[in-house]
Amino acid sequence: MKNIVKALLLSIPFWGLTSCDKGFDELNINKTAATSVNPVFILNNATINCTYAPGTVIYEEGIVQQMVSPNSGVLTGANFNQDSRDNTVQNWQKYYRTVIRNTQDVIDQTKDLPARSNLYNMARILQAYAYMVTTDSYGDIPYADAAKGYTQQIVLPKYDTQQAIYAAIIKELTEASTALDAAKTVEAADVLYGGNIALWKKFANSLLLRAGMRLSKVDAAQAQSVVGKAVAAGVMELNTENAMVRHDANYVNAVGNMLNSTEAANIYMAAPFVDYLKKTNDPRLKSIAVRYVGAKSGPEQVASRASSEPAVQIGMPFGFDNSTISAEVAKNKLASFYDFTQVDRTRMAKNTAPNFLVTAAQTQLLLAEAAQRGWVTGSTAEAYFNKGVRLHMEQLASYDANAAVAPTAITAYLTENPFNTATALEQINTQYWIASFLNGPEAFANFRRSGFPILTPNPFPGKGIKGTFIRRLTYPNSEISVNSVNVKEAIGRQGADDLDTKVWWDK
């Protein structure tokens, strides 16, 4: 009997242990934590990160002479024609880390899911957009091997030629647009178009038109072919079809945030841009610009000094630093360089301003050029041109109600500045320059492709380029140090890693 009791007593701790361990794994699982993410939200993350980086103000918008700063340091860039890789890196980091990576994640998750085929093709379209911006900025870049570090452990991707990348972009846009099907699952949570298939198709086809026109200098026959396919498939015609990223108080416009905070008093509208708008009596100047008349410092740029009247706007010239600009201040009879015109950060450059990726205005202006070249026959170059100008003027109301252009002012402008077939390409692409204001990457790309507007090269002394204008952005230092073999191969093929080397479609 004693032995039986002893055995029972010895076994009690094990019963206790067994009882305590029961359900242990279940207790340590957080039942409210997400175990997976709907891939449409990953696409949304990619979409909102398509907004332009602050560095585009310093380089791309400076190169096309829309914005300028006389200051150096973190603002060194186009005004000095210098290679500042802290700024040229921004497109690379933004698109590879947040857009290409996330769209590839969506593509990988949905490629074998027929029920999510629309989402799959939407991701392909947005990724094509990101690759176009990136290759236009740098030339040869990783494409086939890109975004495969997590899935295939390719952490040192090879670089593809821009020619091959453009062929792939055109293929992706064509296939994805065709495959979108309104009869299949509607991705209503999509932040770009709410899953509207018709609008996604127009976005893809308008982007395809842009890609086709990008080839006009390097391969006119291929350009015409691609343009024809895009137009036949249906492109943007209305501002309600614009591809834009919306912002609010919680998710602010990155460029607007910079212009309303650290660099509020340091960046100005450039003289060539302001002068052209004034010369043509363009009503958009009143919607875009503000001058703090008589300001002697940043703190003096206050509402009581603010004027949006076109007659008082004075753009800052290129080629001066914060010391030598004093001569231009005196010449223009200003109180200081703080007295030059700026983009209005309470309207067009406010924190909550939208960011436009591809617009109906840009699309119609590209159609005007295509018609002028005889590549499309749906309407006349003049009709497309007038429609494109009108659409951009109407688009300004999307930034702020106080930026709206009156319909009568639009009609008066088109009457005073009629389409001229003798100077059509210059006229069309100068309007494209205006319609791409604050879209630095696109304004820079079209300027290189078309050669318009006609701008005087920046005369800054001791400039860091041999040519007249910066032609590309330089590769990140991190790529050069880590992925050196593949970067060197690309440089050997494309040309020196500097601001002078032209990308493939620019040669």
Side-chain angles (χ1 to χ4, degrees), residues 53 103 132 245 273 406:
T103 51
M132 189 183 297
V245 179
F273 192 58

Side-chain angles (χ1 to χ4, degrees), residues 98-404:
T98 61
V99 184
I100 293 169
R101 172 187 168 186
N102 283 321
T103 51
Q104 189 62 47
D105 190 6
V106 177
I107 289 168
D108 290 341
Q109 288 191 49
T110 58
K111 62 183 178 182
D112 297 321
L113 299 176
R116 307 300 294 274
S117 64
N118 281 334
L119 183 58
Y120 168 68
N121 287 296
M122 288 154 58
R124 294 170 73 188
I125 293 165
L126 195 67
Q127 186 174 88
Y129 170 82
Y131 273 124
M132 189 183 297
V133 173
T134 312
T135 189
D136 288 346
S137 295
Y138 302 97
D140 293 3
I141 58 171
Y143 181 84
D145 281 355
K148 294 181 179 177
Y150 290 99
T151 57
Q152 298 181 36
Q153 289 72 56
I154 299 176
V155 295
L156 300 175
K158 291 183 178 180
Y159 282 53
D160 296 272
T161 66
Q162 186 176 68
Q163 184 175 6
I165 294 166
Y166 256 86
I169 286 171
I170 290 167
K171 178 177 179 291
E172 284 293 286
L173 290 171
T174 304
E175 291 181 357
S177 174
T178 302
L180 287 169
D181 187 348
K184 295 184 177 179
T185 303
V186 174
E187 302 290 347
D190 150 47
V191 295
L192 190 61
Y193 287 123
N196 187 309
I197 295 303
L199 295 182
W200 268 98
K201 280 179 174 285
K202 289 203 171 188
F203 174 36
N205 297 329
S206 300
L207 194 54
L208 183 63
L209 170 65
R210 180 182 286 185
M213 292 302 294
R214 203 77 96 222
L215 308 183
S216 61
K217 186 160 63 171
V218 71
D219 190 340
Q222 173 71 353
Q224 182 176 358
S225 174
V226 174
V227 167
K229 291 175 182 177
V231 174
V235 297
M236 293 176 181
E237 299 179 80
L238 305 170
N239 279 326
T240 52
E241 299 165 346
N242 289 340
M244 66 176 179
V245 179
R246 297 164 179 81
H247 298 95
D248 58 25
N250 296 311
Y251 181 73
V252 300
N253 183 308
V255 170
N257 186 53
M258 178 184 75
L259 295 178
N260 279 278
S261 55
T262 57
E263 309 307 336
N266 295 324
I267 296 176
Y268 295 80
M269 288 183 65
F273 192 58
V274 172
D275 291 348
Y276 185 82
L277 296 178
K278 288 182 73 172
K279 180 181 71 174
T280 57
N281 196 27
D282 196 317
R284 285 171 287 194
L285 182 59
K286 185 176 178 65
S287 299
I288 294 170
V290 66
R291 182 177 155 217
Y292 295 96
V293 180
K296 297 184 180 66
S297 65
E300 289 192 10
Q301 291 181 336
V302 292
S304 61
R305 295 181 180 275
S307 174
S308 60
E309 289 304 311
V312 307
Q313 304 307 323
I314 302 173
M316 180 179 283
F318 275 82
F320 301 93
D321 59 24
N322 57 11
S323 174
T324 58
I325 194 66
S326 58
E328 295 299 306
V329 169
K331 187 169 82 173
N332 286 283
K333 299 179 180 179
L334 303 179
S336 69
F337 78 69
Y338 300 99
D339 200 358
F340 279 110
T341 293
Q342 295 180 295
V343 59
D344 193 336
R345 51 187 181 265
T346 69
R347 294 182 295 160
M348 198 167 185
K350 63 184 180 182
N351 283 347
T352 56
N355 202 161
F356 291 92
L357 311 180
V358 180
T359 68
Q362 292 170 324
T363 300
Q364 294 299 307
L365 289 169
L366 289 179
L367 288 176
E369 180 178 342
Q372 183 66 23
R373 292 176 178 272
W375 293 354
V376 296
T377 57
S379 186
T380 65
E382 181 176 5
Y384 285 129
F385 173 83
N386 289 339
K387 187 172 183 178
V389 174
R390 183 177 294 275
L391 282 167
H392 183 250
M393 290 191 181
E394 292 172 346
Q395 178 188 319
L396 296 184
S398 300
Y399 291 99
D400 190 274
N402 291 324

Side-chain angles (χ1 to χ4, degrees), residues 80-82 462-471 499-500:
F80 302 93
N81 286 309
Q82 297 292 334
K463 62 183 183 179
I465 59 173
K466 299 180 182 70
T468 53
F469 290 94
I470 293 170
R471 308 306 297 193
L499 302 175
D500 282 296

Side-chain angles (χ1 to χ4, degrees), residues 17-85:
L17 287 173
T18 303
S19 177
C20 290
D21 189 56
K22 185 177 181 180
F24 181 79
D25 291 337
E26 184 179 351
L27 288 171
N28 281 275
I29 294 174
N30 185 343
K31 295 181 180 180
T32 63
T35 56
S36 63
V37 177
N38 187 331
V40 72
F41 298 127
I42 300 174
L43 181 68
N44 287 345
N45 193 9
T47 299
I48 63 176
N49 279 292
C50 283
T51 58
Y52 307 116
T56 61
V57 173
I58 300 163
Y59 269 97
E60 289 96 317
E61 289 181 41
I63 297 166
V64 300
Q65 299 185 2
Q66 292 178 330
M67 304 269 267
V68 63
S69 174
N71 298 327
S72 55
V74 297
L75 297 180
T76 297
N79 183 47
F80 302 93
N81 286 309
Q82 297 292 334
D83 183 7
S84 174
R85 299 199 182 204

Side-chain angles (χ1 to χ4, degrees), residues 445-483:
N446 198 66
F447 170 65
R448 287 175 288 163
R449 177 194 71 84
S450 70
F452 299 113
I454 296 173
L455 300 172
T456 302
N458 176 0
F460 194 86
K463 62 183 183 179
I465 59 173
K466 299 180 182 70
T468 53
F469 290 94
I470 293 170
R471 308 306 297 193
R472 66 179 282 273
L473 304 186
T474 49
Y475 292 130
N477 287 329
S478 57
E479 278 290 294
I480 295 170
S481 61
V482 175
N483 197 13

